Structure formats: C-alpha cells, structure tokens
Amino acid sequence: MRDTPKGGAGFSGAASSDGKPVSIGTVLTLLREEFPEVTISKIRFLEAEGLVEPKRTPSGYRKFTPADVERLAAVLRMQRDHYLPLKVIREHLDALERGEQVPLPAPAASSRDLVEGVHDPGAERPTAARIGRAELLAAAEVDEAALADWESYGLIVPHADGGYDIEAVTVAKLVADLGRFGLEPRHLRAVKAAAEREAGLVEQVVAPLRRHRNPQTRAHAEATARELATLSVRLHAALVQSALRVRL
C-alpha cells in the first residue's frame, strides 16, 4: 500500500480514532463532509483506476487506512479544483511519493469568472467555459474554411451568441488530426451521432437527480454524469479496438 504523498492536500478526517483500517462505508461518510457528491461507486472507480489500493480481508472486503483516505481526498480535490484527468493526478501523486515537488495548475476559475468569460491570456489554451470564434481558431490552429466545413456537418456547433464550449477546442484538434488520415467531416457524422446517443443515455440516468430539490443530490447528478461519461468513452474505445482485432 502506498503512503500518503508528502505535500498532498490535508484531510480533516481520519480513518478511525486509533488509525485502524475502516470499511468503504466509513470512508464515504468521512469524505462527504467535504465532497457531498462522492459515492461508493466513485470510490470503487478510483480504485479500479489505480488511484487507491485498499487492503482486502480474507472474505474480500475493502479496508482503507488513514493514508488511503488522505489519498482519496487529494484525488477528489484535484479533480474539483483543477479539473485534472486521472492520469495526470496519478502521475502527480507518484511524483510526490518520490519526493519530487511538482506544481499543480492554478485552481479552476470561479463560477463568476466562468460566466463572465474570464480566462488566462498566458495559458496554452482558453480556460473559460465559453470562447469566441477567433480564440477557437487560434487554439485549434485551424483556418476559417476548415471550421466552417466542420460546422456544416454539425461536428462543432456554436451557441446562439456565437461562442463555443471549451470542448470545441479538443473536438477541432481531433477532427484535424483525423483529417490527416483522409477522414473527412462527412465520414465523422456517424461518430457525432453515436456521441449524441451516449449523451442521451447518460441524461436518462441523471435527469431525475438534477430535478431534485436537495442541492447535494443535484451535485451528485453532475458527478454521476461525469463518471458515466468516462465509462462510456472507455467502453467505446474498447469496442472499437475489439472490432478492429476481429477484422485484422
């Protein structure tokens, strides 16, 4: 079992008063004070991704040490405050365990900043929730003609005010990369349609939670949507790889 990384964010809770390992249910209770949206399935997902390695009893039950709880809190905090992917979080924690001091990106912008479209002009790419057309062209390193072509096929869709979601930068870069292999926008309409169907499935699961009066339940809906989206992408990638192996 890994020790809690030095330099990681502290966590007010402890696994138990005497430091003995505790069950996943107790861990959930400890974490929810700071992370009300966390669920048991989320903890299991982080374990499956190698972010935490609880010991197992002979009967197979998970037992989490104080270091495990600290590590989970650090992972959740980096996701919440820095929007880091799990791969980057794992690399950061591993570097800390080796005694390396690795700086994290600046904390995510506040809700007010995101609404007002504030972003760091020195960043590698825009960090606002919305970006303008010129920013998208610059960040994706594409020209006006290419962007107009992608929009005509619905691969990138501007909002009514002419702005774009930040994800449009990633989409544009991937479409450009695929184009280098001869895949044109018309070939990617099926990918777009599949993504919309997957999003519809996620929405069916979380829609009842989003309508709930309890703010914690609504926060749980957003966390669940992100987790389902991650699992859906992994499943899609695995199915594509499996289909390719059948054909080769």
Side-chain angles (χ1 to χ4, degrees):
M1 175 61 220
R2 303 170 179 175
D3 295 328
T4 303
K6 296 178 181 179
F11 183 61
S12 58
S16 67
S17 59
D18 55 7
K20 292 182 178 179
V22 295
S23 68
I24 193 170
T26 301
V27 173
L28 181 66
T29 300
L30 291 168
L31 291 174
R32 273 191 168 168
E33 182 177 348
E34 182 178 353
F35 309 99
E37 75 282 359
V38 74
T39 62
I40 285 180
S41 64
K42 174 70 172 181
I43 296 173
R44 289 173 176 163
F45 173 70
L46 293 176
E47 179 190 356
E49 291 294 313
L51 272 301
V52 66
E53 300 169 4
K55 295 184 182 299
R56 295 274 186 159
T57 66
S59 54
Y61 291 102
R62 297 172 177 83
K63 288 295 181 180
F64 294 79
T65 65
D68 293 330
V69 181
E70 290 278 359
R71 189 176 177 90
L72 282 169
V75 171
L76 293 171
R77 200 171 286 114
M78 281 187 274
Q79 282 189 309
R80 180 194 64 194
D81 298 343
H82 300 274
Y83 295 113
L84 296 179
L86 294 182
K87 179 181 178 182
V88 174
I89 292 176
R90 186 186 304 109
E91 292 172 350
H92 177 78
L93 293 177
D94 290 345
L96 289 176
E97 288 180 355
R98 295 192 298 268
E100 302 173 11
Q101 294 301 317
V102 183
L104 283 170
S110 66
S111 298
R112 179 180 176 183
D113 289 342
L114 294 178
V115 170
E116 294 175 354
V118 175
H119 67 278
D120 177 9
E124 195 172 47
R125 65 173 185 165
T127 56
R130 292 277 186 89
I131 59 174
R133 191 175 188 86
E135 289 176 302
L136 174 57
L137 291 170
E141 299 179 345
V142 297
D143 57 29
E144 180 69 43
L147 179 56
D149 190 28
W150 300 341
E151 287 178 330
S152 70
Y153 285 95
L155 298 175
I156 294 179
V157 181
H159 290 275
D161 61 4
Y164 300 84
D165 289 329
I166 190 62
E167 289 81 6
V169 175
T170 301
V171 173
K173 288 183 176 181
L174 290 172
V175 171
D177 287 342
L178 289 168
R180 297 187 185 99
F181 291 88
L183 291 173
E184 300 177 8
R186 60 190 176 87
H187 300 136
L188 301 177
R189 287 182 295 185
V191 178
K192 169 73 171 178
E196 291 178 346
R197 287 195 296 271
E198 290 175 25
L201 289 175
V202 172
E203 183 59 29
Q204 287 180 29
V205 175
V206 301
L209 298 176
R210 283 177 170 160
R211 292 193 295 266
H212 205 279
R213 289 184 176 181
N214 190 325
Q216 292 187 354
T217 302
R218 293 198 298 272
H220 172 55
E222 299 310 313
T224 300
R226 289 193 295 270
E227 186 172 341
L228 286 173
T230 299
L231 293 172
S232 177
V233 169
R234 291 176 60 193
L235 174 61
H236 181 86
L239 289 173
V240 170
Q241 292 291 346
S242 178
L244 287 173
R245 290 192 186 95
V246 171
R247 289 169 170 75
L248 295 178

